[in-house]
Amino acid sequence: MKNTTVLISGASIAGPALAYWLSRSGHAVTVVEKAPALRPGGQAVDFKGETHRVVLERMGILDEVRRRRTGGTDQSIVDANGRPLATLPAAFTGGDVEILRGDLSALLHERTEADCEYVFGDSVTSLTDTAGGVHVTFERGAPRTFDLVVGADGIHSTVRRLAFGPESDYVRFLGYHYALADLGVDLGAGMYNEPGRMAALGGPKAPVFLVFASGRLDYDRYDTQRHRGILTDAYRGMGWRVPEIVAALPEARDVHLDPISRVEIDHYARGRTVLLGDAAYGNTLGGFGTGLAVVGAYVLAGELVEAGGDHRAAFRAYEEAMRGYAKVAGRGGAGPFLAPATRRGIWMRNRLFRSRFLLWSMLRMTDMFATDIRLGDYPALTGTSAAR
């Protein structure tokens, strides 16, 4: 097989999922991650429908994902006095099985660390495509050459920027920001809206989950003190338990703020570099990111093995298989749904959750999107015939 040394940038979900398949098929895999270690906890992610289940089964991790799953409880949508208005059902937010991102990342790392090289606390600084490989320089480590490079480093992908161009060319801001926070105190549970703003406590995403409409904000993604200030300004004057949230922000143990954005890119590969997961088809809070990452990893690895390592043929086949399936990432916008711009919009959204028929229709549509791909039969990858 050709092209057997592979560098994967990103050790969250997509990267280790691909590392699992490639390492068991004879590739020498290195995973580089900017963070100094795996990130524990984090927001809850979920899997939906038969396609996701089949890939988890083929990886041999479905039972363990179920064992580590979160509780998956319903959440009340409340008014300013805390009175219930509607219920956000666990089936809507948590799919068939829900797990903390950090727990899933740890599980994938456990299944790959013995067979792959993991490098934490480092990142790629340049990529030079040559006839015989990709020459890679790193922020801390010595330069190395790999046959192939995979950008599995999220919606703000460094690999995409280096190989394709600036983030502004491929990532579209959708007019909202979201924040996850751990205040270190229990303020109860519930989800409350005012036009253009949402605050949720004790829900499936994080102890505090905030979504608000805004223009594009200028800040350093790693400056959590600035994040606290932005959130304080954005949520000033809001009712319900929000003043308590704002008061607790300065001492919060963990705060993460990010734009709600969507990746729009014509091709997933350039030369010997290919994008996977949110780097290729991300849509913040779109509800399909984790499933797309795990399915995409399976398809990319399968096509590489089937093509005998011919990266050009494999990348074309991967894109053909995933392009239609990943369209779901371009369809929705979580911001207007979670934080409608008007009181009427809030009322209509709540009405959806009070209607069994409308909710059932939405869940059926979600399942249809999650299963809208025919998984290839990659016996050389899985060691068995597993066609669907």
Side-chain angles (χ1 to χ4, degrees):
M1 181 179 293
K2 300 182 296 182
N3 296 326
T4 57
T5 61
V6 181
L7 174 68
I8 300 172
S9 176
S12 181
I13 307 301
L18 179 64
Y20 170 83
W21 291 114
L22 292 183
S23 63
R24 62 185 272 141
S25 60
H27 292 77
V29 179
T30 298
V31 182
V32 62
E33 168 57 49
K34 183 178 181 66
L38 292 177
R39 297 181 177 93
Q43 71 189 79
V45 296
D46 61 87
F47 296 100
K48 307 174 176 72
E50 183 186 6
T51 298
H52 296 178
R53 178 184 58 77
V54 166
V55 174
L56 295 177
E57 283 181 335
R58 293 181 188 178
M59 293 181 75
I61 64 171
L62 178 59
D63 289 343
E64 187 63 19
V65 168
R66 285 172 171 163
R67 191 184 72 78
R68 301 189 193 196
R69 70 192 302 171
T70 63
T73 57
D74 295 344
Q75 186 172 35
S76 291
I77 301 173
V78 301
D79 66 13
N81 296 312
R83 293 177 299 212
L85 299 173
T87 298
L88 193 64
F92 180 79
T93 59
D96 296 337
V97 59
E98 181 183 78
I99 182 173
L100 292 179
R101 176 177 290 277
D103 290 349
L104 179 59
S105 179
L107 171 59
L108 293 170
H109 181 258
E110 290 166 12
R111 298 299 175 96
T112 55
E113 62 178 329
D115 301 312
C116 303
E117 176 190 12
Y118 276 87
V119 180
F120 288 96
D122 206 350
S123 60
V124 177
T125 55
S126 73
L127 300 170
T128 303
D129 222 22
T130 70
V134 185
H135 182 72
V136 184
T137 62
F138 299 91
E139 186 176 344
R140 291 182 173 84
R144 297 169 64 177
T145 297
F146 298 87
D147 294 325
L148 304 173
V149 172
V150 181
D153 45 355
I155 202 165
H156 301 296
S157 172
T158 296
V159 168
R160 188 187 58 228
R161 174 175 57 80
L162 294 172
F164 289 76
E167 180 172 310
S168 58
D169 289 350
Y170 301 105
V171 179
R172 179 184 173 192
F173 173 58
L174 299 179
Y176 284 79
H177 285 75
Y178 80 100
L180 307 170
D182 184 353
L183 303 180
V185 295
D186 185 2
L187 297 179
M191 173 178 162
Y192 173 67
N193 280 97
E194 290 181 9
R197 297 186 287 183
M198 182 277 283
L201 292 169
K205 293 298 179 187
V208 175
F209 176 39
L210 307 171
V211 176
F212 61 97
S214 74
R216 190 180 293 276
L217 301 175
D218 182 21
Y219 62 92
D220 183 334
R221 289 196 296 119
Y222 302 101
D223 184 354
T224 57
Q225 199 58 36
R226 171 69 172 139
H227 297 180
R228 290 172 170 85
I230 290 172
L231 294 173
T232 297
D233 291 341
Y235 280 84
R236 185 175 287 114
M238 195 171 176
W240 188 53
R241 311 295 299 274
V242 176
E244 297 170 78
I245 295 174
V246 171
L249 278 173
E251 304 301 323
R253 291 185 294 204
D254 188 31
V255 177
H256 172 81
L257 175 70
D258 216 16
I260 295 182
S261 306
R262 179 169 61 229
V263 175
E264 298 177 344
I265 194 165
D266 291 335
H267 298 288
Y268 301 153
R270 180 164 291 179
R272 291 177 171 269
T273 299
V274 65
L275 303 177
L276 173 67
D278 282 351
Y281 26 81
N283 185 344
T284 316
L285 304 180
F288 291 89
T290 304
L292 285 171
V294 171
V295 173
Y298 171 75
V299 173
L300 176 56
E303 295 298 342
L304 278 168
V305 173
E306 289 294 299
D310 181 344
H311 67 282
R312 294 181 182 86
F315 290 172
R316 283 195 301 270
Y318 159 66
E319 182 165 328
E320 288 172 6
M322 289 298 295
R323 178 65 71 179
Y325 186 51
K327 280 183 179 178
V328 64
R331 288 183 173 129
F337 184 80
L338 293 170
T342 65
R343 294 194 180 277
R344 176 170 175 77
I346 295 170
W347 178 84
M348 292 179 66
R349 192 275 318 278
N350 293 348
R351 182 173 179 270
L352 183 153
F353 288 116
R354 291 194 297 267
S355 168
R356 289 186 178 181
F357 174 75
L358 291 176
L359 180 59
W360 175 83
S361 299
M362 179 172 285
L363 291 174
R364 283 292 301 271
M365 186 175 297
T366 297
D367 187 70
M368 180 184 71
F369 289 148
T371 57
D372 189 22
I373 185 173
R374 180 174 178 80
L375 291 179
D377 179 11
Y378 304 120
L381 183 70
T382 61
T384 183
S385 180
R388 290 180 56 230

